[in-house]
Amino acid sequence: MPVAPDTTPAPVSRAATLRADLGASLVVFLVAVPLSLGIALAAGAPLGAGIISAVVGGIVVGLLGGAPLQVSGPTAGLTVIVAGLVQTYGWRMTCLVTVGAGLLQILLGLLRVARATLALSPAVVHGVVAGIGVVIALAQLHVVLGGAPQRSAWENLRELPTQVGNLRAPTVAVGVITVVLLLGWPMLGRLPGRWAGLAKVPAPLIAVSLATVAASVLHLNVARVDLSSIAFATPVLPPAGAWGAIAVGVVSVALVSGMESLLSAAAVDRLHHGPRAKLDRELIGQGVGNVVSGAIGGYPVTGVAIRSVTNVRAGALTRAATILHGVWVMLFVGLLGAFVERIPLAVLAALVMVVGVQMVSLAHIRHVHRHREFPAYAATIAGVILAGVLQGVLLGVVVAVLTALYRLSRSTVRVHPGDGVLHVEVHGSLTFLSVPRLSRVLGKLPPGEHVVVDMTVDYLDQAAFEAVHSWRASYLAHGGRVDIEEIHDGCYERAAGGSPGPGRSRLTPSPRWFAPWWHWQRACPREDGTASQALVAGAREFRQRTAPLVQPFLERLALEGQKPAQLFITCADSRIVPNLITASGPGDLFTVRNIGNLVPRGEAGYTDPNTADASVGAAIEYAVAVLGVRSITVCGHSGCGAMGALLDKVGKAGEAGPEQATTPHLDRWLRNGDASMARFAAGPAPTLTGHRVPPVEQLCLTNVVQQLHNLLDHAVVAEAVAAGRLRLFGLYFDIASAQLYLYDGVRGDFGPVDAERAESGALPPAVAAGAEDHTFPALNAG
């Protein structure tokens, strides 16, 4: 099959690596400072706690974590939990929860359970993020309007009309400026020239800076950042009756923080080609970071997706970028704290509010809806908003499990007559939950009929099997006839016959989509099996399984007409499946198949009585002149019978014997291969990279090259190639190894399909379109 190009990056020098990491660290630092302050504000924590968390996340987790390019710090995902803890127990006791969560994360990492987190349904994860985003947005909207957030999302929503009636104009003004800049600044990237370059500056930095400047210039009376809380705080023990609630907080922070960190690390892995994340080590690193952050009065530490993606896209190559970003945060606040204290709180609230709104992703909603996971997503959001994060996760998991159980037990049973036969179509999973309905439908069938039960099931438990088997025996005993037609796995047949399951039987079925007749003829033998029955079975499966899936696409093709990208000329050999080996579908290939993948040469195909056949020429003209295909591919294959016949004819030349007149049309057609035989005799034959092939395969390779030569003898092809509208390609398919090889017209050999060979093609650009016989330089050499 085609070989993907190597995308592994080339080694980078140490100096270049340091430059890349330094630049990335500065970009992430510019994003981290305003977000850290805003998240601490949203949770009701001291603003300095957000800065401490960013420093610890950058330096401590950066040194110890298992995801080198992930950036850790305070995150909006914990805002709801932390806000609840702060309101109930105060900040110093919340720091104790952070320390406990870190110790629990270290324990879980040592137990190597990190990957278990990835088993959580994406619908639940996206639901948690979206629910937290809604809660954050509602709370920070009150701050932007000049008020204070309430204790819950419902209270924030209920009090919103009152807050709108009491809004403070200066606070709203700086909040609106921040929101407009956050949403509008990235749009500069769509403008031409120097404006597009400005979009590379982080939008949060621009929004916070300009809004702060505007508030100062206009002398707006608004509350501003106070970093007096930057002094370290120490945890305190809770009163005796609060240990249970503190334990719930520890578990909540540990699980949500760990889950978000591990999912973020897995997502970042997909953005780069460097070392993969070691999830257990990452969980331990996050735990150590939380222990340190909580012990000195910082916000809980978590792997942050926004900062991590920024880090990768800014060119970071090693963990040095993460560590340096923490250093820059520490130096900035220590040296330029006076500037930070000029930032209005409404600006940070607006920043976090926009982040919260963006956490409700339409792409995620479409994704979960497409996979029919929306109930779990909606339940998780509702649980997070109404009850809390941990409760929302539990509710989402319960709904996801119930949904999966429903699908496993779901089946459809339909009865319809046809051609004197009663067809009973059974789809889905047949379990004990399906038995009542299945038995009711089967029990209503009139006696003495010919019943065909079409079972398209992916699971059949004992209760369902016994229900079908008992009904079948009873129906046969009363003079009826029953055929069980199984599509796919053969569950009923194995259970009834006691044969082993797939993988242990010599009759293990091939996938139905790949070789349906092979499946019916070998895997499910029948005493009365005939080719017609195999055809009917295949058509039935297409109608039941495939047709509903492809019908909308085919309907569009029927309305719009065909617009194939290429003409594909290959052999009629039954082992060659063009759409399979090219990973294409309906409407992609305009296919011509004949014995030997031969292309009669131009006008000779119409006038020479020995080879006259206009069908291939007509297909070529229609494809190029009418359909406007952009490429023509000639595909030969190993073990070609036509090439064997040509060699055999040469070997028997001159031998006396009766005239062979049993295949006159075949003999006349194979004369179109005489040019391939002449080229083969002149030698040398094209080579197959890394292989030594016997003469018949050498002729197969030579034949592909000759047919490319013959294509240029057709005027419509020669004109399109000369105009640059058409490219020619030669393929060779080795059946036994299931490998495709592409012809390179420059090197004159066949090799694995890659981007370089595809770019070179069978017809190099240097070929003069007006050459006397339209041959290639590589062909002339032979």
Side-chain angles (χ1 to χ4, degrees):
M1 297 297 289
V3 178
D6 183 11
T7 57
T8 303
V12 182
S13 68
R14 182 172 301 179
T17 300
L18 181 59
R19 286 195 300 270
D21 289 337
L22 181 61
S25 70
L26 290 171
V27 173
V28 178
F29 148 70
L30 295 175
V31 174
V33 170
L35 283 177
S36 299
L37 293 169
I39 289 167
L41 173 68
L47 297 185
I51 298 298
I52 293 172
S53 177
V55 174
V56 172
I59 298 176
V60 177
V61 182
L63 283 169
L64 302 178
L69 300 186
Q70 173 154 274
V71 181
S72 299
T75 176
L78 286 174
T79 302
V80 176
I81 299 176
V82 174
L85 290 170
V86 172
Q87 291 174 359
T88 305
Y89 302 108
W91 178 244
R92 294 182 67 185
M93 207 171 294
T94 302
C95 292
L96 177 68
V97 171
T98 302
V99 173
L103 294 173
L104 180 56
Q105 288 176 330
I106 293 173
L107 176 62
L108 293 175
L110 293 174
L111 293 176
R112 307 182 68 84
V113 298
R115 288 200 174 272
T117 307
L118 302 181
L120 195 64
S121 169
V124 175
V125 176
H126 295 326
V128 169
V129 173
I132 291 173
V134 171
V135 174
I136 291 173
L138 286 174
Q140 296 310 300
L141 180 58
H142 281 267
V143 179
V144 172
L145 294 175
Q150 306 301 312
R151 294 180 61 89
S152 69
W154 170 247
E155 291 178 0
N156 280 319
L157 188 62
R158 186 182 60 189
E159 295 297 324
L160 189 59
T162 302
Q163 187 64 63
V164 171
N166 297 322
L167 59 83
R168 296 185 69 252
T171 305
V172 174
V174 293
V176 169
I177 293 173
T178 306
V179 172
V180 170
L181 288 171
L182 283 171
L183 300 179
W185 190 261
M187 296 182 183
L188 294 179
R190 303 178 183 177
L191 300 178
R194 67 183 66 179
W195 294 104
L198 290 176
K200 296 179 181 180
V201 181
L205 176 66
I206 293 297
V208 172
S209 300
L210 294 184
T212 300
V213 170
S216 299
V217 170
L218 298 175
H219 303 289
L220 298 179
N221 183 21
V222 292
R224 300 179 187 269
V225 169
D226 179 10
L227 290 182
S228 60
S229 60
I230 198 70
F232 297 146
T234 56
V236 296
L237 295 178
W243 279 105
I246 292 297
V248 172
V250 167
V251 173
S252 299
V253 172
L255 293 184
V256 174
S257 170
M259 179 180 66
E260 187 172 353
S261 298
L262 296 176
L263 293 173
S264 173
V268 171
D269 269 357
R270 294 194 289 267
L271 300 178
H272 66 89
H273 300 286
R276 302 295 91 182
K278 299 176 181 178
L279 297 183
D280 291 305
R281 177 180 170 181
E282 176 65 16
L283 188 56
I284 293 173
Q286 294 291 338
V288 174
N290 275 316
V291 170
V292 174
S293 182
I296 60 177
Y299 194 93
V301 172
T302 307
V304 189
I306 294 176
R307 272 167 262 184
S308 301
V309 171
T310 302
N311 191 38
V312 174
R313 291 179 175 171
L317 297 177
T318 71
R319 65 177 69 244
T322 301
I323 299 170
L324 286 173
H325 120 274
V327 174
W328 305 144
V329 172
M330 180 173 60
L331 294 177
F332 176 78
V333 175
L335 300 177
L336 298 175
F339 173 78
V340 175
E341 290 187 328
R342 301 191 65 84
I343 301 175
L345 294 180
V347 171
L348 298 179
L351 171 64
V352 178
M353 182 183 69
V354 171
V355 171
V357 172
Q358 291 173 340
M359 290 167 72
V360 185
S361 169
L362 293 178
H364 289 163
I365 294 175
R366 287 193 295 266
H367 183 73
V368 297
H369 179 71
R370 185 165 59 249
H371 290 275
R372 299 185 297 169
E373 299 285 348
F374 189 78
Y377 177 82
T380 305
I381 292 179
V384 170
I385 294 174
L386 299 177
V389 174
L390 194 58
Q391 295 87 338
V393 171
L394 293 176
L395 180 60
V397 169
V398 169
V399 173
V401 170
L402 292 177
T403 303
L405 290 175
Y406 171 73
R407 290 175 183 168
L408 287 174
S409 63
R410 186 182 181 186
S411 62
T412 58
V413 185
R414 293 193 298 267
V415 180
H416 61 86
D419 300 328
V421 178
L422 281 176
H423 288 275
V424 181
E425 296 182 358
V426 184
H427 299 268
S429 300
L430 280 182
T431 66
F432 64 94
L433 297 173
S434 308
V435 169
R437 182 165 182 266
L438 178 64
S439 299
R440 183 171 63 252
V441 172
L442 294 177
K444 291 181 179 180
L445 296 177
E449 298 286 343
H450 180 192
V451 179
V452 176
V453 181
D454 296 316
M455 296 180 62
T456 309
V457 300
D458 48 30
Y459 180 71
L460 179 71
D461 73 359
Q462 184 176 358
F465 165 74
E466 290 183 355
V468 176
H469 200 58
S470 299
W471 167 83
R472 182 174 185 243
S474 175
Y475 199 84
L476 291 174
H478 288 82
R481 177 183 172 186
V482 177
D483 290 329
I484 305 292
E485 301 284 6
E486 291 186 88
I487 298 176
H488 295 302
D489 211 16
C491 303
Y492 180 88
E493 184 172 343
R494 289 199 310 276
S499 61
R504 293 168 288 177
S505 169
R506 65 182 179 85
L507 298 177
T508 298
S510 299
R512 289 282 285 152
W513 63 268
F514 175 70
W517 286 13
W518 176 279
H519 177 97
W520 277 95
Q521 293 167 0
R522 292 290 303 278
C524 300
R526 300 177 58 88
E527 294 180 1
D528 57 347
T530 63
S532 62
Q533 288 178 328
L535 176 63
V536 170
R540 183 184 298 128
E541 182 188 353
F542 174 79
R543 173 172 56 85
Q544 294 174 347
R545 301 285 291 184
T546 310
L549 300 176
V550 301
Q551 187 274 331
F553 179 68
L554 292 177
E555 181 181 25
R556 181 166 62 84
L557 286 177
L559 293 174
E560 298 176 357
Q562 62 169 326
K563 299 175 183 178
Q566 64 174 298
L567 167 61
F568 196 82
I569 303 174
T570 190
C571 188
D573 192 297
S574 61
R575 298 167 295 180
I576 308 301
V577 187
N579 291 102
L580 177 67
I581 65 177
T582 60
S584 54
D588 292 334
L589 303 180
F590 188 72
T591 307
V592 172
R593 303 189 65 163
N594 60 50
I595 294 177
N597 47 272
L598 299 174
V599 179
R601 299 190 65 176
E603 292 298 324
Y606 304 95
T607 59
D608 188 346
N610 293 320
T611 61
D613 185 298
S615 63
V616 178
I620 292 172
E621 292 175 357
Y622 187 81
V624 176
V626 179
L627 298 178
V629 297
R630 296 185 296 275
S631 67
I632 301 178
T633 299
V634 177
C635 180
H637 66 93
S638 61
C640 181
M643 299 302 103
L646 289 174
L647 283 178
D648 188 57
K649 182 176 68 172
V650 172
K652 294 182 178 179
E655 294 184 6
E659 184 69 23
Q660 298 295 321
T662 56
T663 56
H665 297 290
L666 177 60
D667 292 341
R668 186 171 65 183
W669 172 254
L670 288 179
R671 288 173 187 160
N672 288 301
D674 289 347
S676 296
M677 285 300 303
R679 180 174 294 275
F680 179 64
T687 59
L688 187 63
T689 302
H691 297 273
R692 296 182 63 182
V693 296
V696 66
E697 305 307 330
Q698 294 177 10
L699 179 57
C700 292
L701 299 171
T702 303
N703 182 61
V704 171
V705 176
Q706 180 60 42
Q707 304 320 306
L708 295 170
H709 172 97
N710 291 354
L711 277 170
L712 284 180
D713 203 43
H714 291 258
V716 67
V717 174
E719 292 172 3
V721 168
R725 299 192 308 270
L726 185 67
R727 299 189 66 193
L728 306 182
F729 297 96
L731 282 177
Y732 172 81
F733 181 58
D734 182 63
I735 296 174
S737 64
Q739 294 296 313
L740 276 173
Y741 298 91
L742 182 64
Y743 179 67
D744 188 323
V746 175
R747 291 181 285 199
D749 66 349
F750 285 80
V753 179
D754 56 29
E756 181 181 354
R757 283 183 173 273
E759 184 63 28
S760 176
L763 184 61
V767 174
E772 184 177 349
D773 59 355
H774 305 295
T775 54
F776 314 146
L779 300 182
N780 288 331

